[in-house]
Amino acid sequence: MFSIGEFASIGRVSVRMLRHYDEIGLLTPARVDPITGYRSYDGSQFEVLGRILMFKDLGFRLDEVTQVVHAEVSDGRLREMLEAKRDDVARRLDLDAARLRRIDARLSHTEGISMITVDTKSLPATRVAAVTETAAGYGPQNIGPVIGPMYAQLAQSLGRHGVDFGPSSIAMYEAVDDGDGTGITVHAAFEVGPTVTTAEGYEVRELPPVDLAATTVHHGSMATIGETWEQLMAWIETNGYELSGVCREFYLVSEPQPQENWVTELQQPVVRRQDA
């Protein structure tokens, strides 16, 4: 038998932690002296302690660790719990990676280094068939689930009416005055020919020409396009321009290609600042 101090030292945990584990029924001593209250542990409990520390290190809460260690969950349920933890860690890694890229972009901006190549050019008038929905806000987490189905819906409607379209597609985003100022109107569009008119399932409109736009190309997933937009906005401010219209995303290469192969031109109408 091992005293609580010996067990803690060998197991590389604190005595306080062992007492807490005892209190919540996670790891109870093999024996408690009825007179002194001293706790004693036997050697087989080192394996239990090791499992506790392993699942804690994986991010499990103590109540979850208790269920696992006491065999209160099936193998199938344990696998589900592990997969959920994996998904959570992967999500946080993605968020941290995106945050790291934003920090790098901001550092480069403060050092006068642009991480993107920006062109200024005019945009021609473009005839499109479009559908419109509302998203909860900007960012891939809000816009992605909304705009993806919109293109499928639009393609289906155009196909039903025998309309040739694309292959490139366009997205536009406008802030909505919905009381709290967070709503975003999302337009998904395909280029169409001059004879196509509005029909059930889509509206045909002509996007007006733009005299001057700052543009750059984003390669890869929509999950990271926000960083490219941030860099473009920083370039616009630094180089003496101001925004003058609704931004567009012009998808040069998109589905059915995997997102890592997508190529998107970001288009922001601008004018020269008067003080520039």
Side-chain angles (χ1 to χ4, degrees), residues 137-155:
Y138 285 105
Q141 71 278 12
N142 293 313
I143 291 176
V146 174
I147 198 167
M150 292 172 67
Y151 281 111
Q153 170 196 336
L154 178 57

Side-chain angles (χ1 to χ4, degrees), residues 49-109:
L49 178 60
R51 295 190 70 214
I52 292 171
L53 298 179
M54 176 187 68
F55 283 105
K56 275 190 61 183
D57 181 64
L58 294 177
F60 283 72
R61 302 189 309 269
L62 284 181
D63 61 317
E64 295 173 323
V65 175
T66 301
Q67 294 175 8
V68 173
V69 170
H70 291 176
E72 296 174 359
V73 295
S74 65
D75 289 345
R77 174 55 184 156
L78 177 57
R79 182 175 181 82
E80 290 175 358
M81 295 168 70
L82 287 167
E83 288 175 344
K85 291 298 177 186
R86 186 189 185 284
D87 291 344
D88 183 57
V89 171
R91 180 185 60 82
R92 284 187 279 113
L93 283 173
D94 287 342
L95 290 174
D96 286 342
R99 185 174 295 113
L100 180 60
R101 286 191 294 270
R102 291 196 296 272
I103 292 171
D104 287 340
R106 187 52 54 188
L107 283 170
S108 297
H109 176 60

Side-chain angles (χ1 to χ4, degrees), residues 194-231:
T195 62
V196 180
T197 58
T198 296
E200 182 182 1
Y202 56 87
E203 176 190 5
V204 173
R205 68 180 78 166
E206 186 164 294
L207 302 181
V210 174
D211 291 335
L212 185 64
T215 68
T216 191
V217 175
H218 172 77
H219 295 270
S221 169
M222 294 297 99
T224 59
I225 200 169
E227 288 87 64
T228 308
W229 270 115
E230 289 180 7
Q231 293 174 55

